Amino acid sequence: MLNIVIFGAPGSGKGTQSEKLIEKYGLYHISTGDLLRKEIKAGSELGKIADSYISKGQLLPDSLIIDLLAKLLDTTPETRQGVIFDGFPRTIPQAEALDTMLAERGTAVSAVIGLEVDEAELIDRLLKRGQVSGRSDDNLETIKKRLDVYHTQTTPLRDYYVENGKYKAIHGMGSVDTIFVSITEALADCK
Ligand code: AMP
């Protein structure tokens, strides 16, 4: 069973490559950003909290996100066929919690796909997406804040996964299909 973490800065192509990975490997897609945006749309209590963080480009508290994930894993039998985690984990405590949650369910992270993209390209892609996404956080001020948060809170995770041998660096520039080929090659020896 494959459990893949797709890792990279905002705008690195996590969502796009996730769609292709789901199709090829039949994985269940968990995007914490999508889950939170659904809560915001539904006007739930969690949605109200999420909105206040997302619109400022800040991360939600670890405990809220970890609880959301644990509930989803418990109530979604399809996740036992393998999952692609998109936008989670984003901090070391989240990565540690994920290891524990998967171990309790008799499984583990198989590989971490790290999409590596230049900063100027990230900003360019996010501004372009902002013209069609309607997302409150795809504007220049919030994009800069999100990249800042990524560098301070999320990049330490790269070392966490390099150290445990799970990190696969992928050059994330170029065509969607070329990048996908690099990902499938990196996953070739994963179970
Ligand atoms: P994304 O769609 O993955 O870019 O996430 C959009 C926003 O949702 C982020 O900027 C955070 O405010 C929030 N978010 C998504 N995933 C997480 C997470 N794992 N931990 C904390 N906040 C998150």
Side-chain angles (χ1 to χ4, degrees), residues 32-33 36-37 54 58-60 65 87-88 90 94 135:
T32 41
L36 296 170
R37 282 183 289 274
I54 292 179
Q58 295 168 351
L59 297 185
L60 271 78
I65 294 287
F88 177 90
R90 265 175 150 102
Q94 290 182 18
R135 279 178 54 159

Side-chain angles (χ1 to χ4, degrees), residues 88-142:
F88 177 90
R90 265 175 150 102
T91 63
I92 298 274
Q94 290 182 18
E96 289 169 346
L98 179 62
D99 285 345
T100 307
M101 280 190 277
L102 292 180
E104 283 166 0
R105 289 162 180 81
T107 183
V109 169
S110 320
V112 177
I113 297 295
L115 296 173
E116 304 193 342
V117 177
D118 295 349
E119 189 102 350
E121 169 88 7
L122 293 172
I123 295 175
D124 193 48
R125 287 186 193 175
L126 289 166
L127 285 174
K128 282 204 183 107
R129 186 174 79 185
Q131 292 168 2
V132 288
S133 70
R135 279 178 54 159
S136 65
D137 55 354
D138 281 343
N139 59 76
L140 189 56
E141 192 191 341
T142 317

Side-chain angles (χ1 to χ4, degrees), residues 39-67:
E39 296 288 332
I40 294 174
K41 247 194 179 160
S44 69
E45 272 316 301
L46 175 60
K48 283 176 198 149
I49 298 169
D51 193 27
S52 67
Y53 286 92
I54 292 179
S55 58
K56 291 192 209 103
Q58 295 168 351
L59 297 185
L60 271 78
D62 287 333
S63 58
L64 280 182
I65 294 287
I66 292 165
D67 280 358

Side-chain angles (χ1 to χ4, degrees), residues 154-171:
T154 306
T155 45
L157 269 185
R158 188 181 184 282
D159 293 341
Y160 178 90
Y161 286 121
V162 168
E163 271 161 34
N164 70 14
K166 300 208 165 147
Y167 190 82
K168 318 259 181 208
I170 301 290
H171 182 63

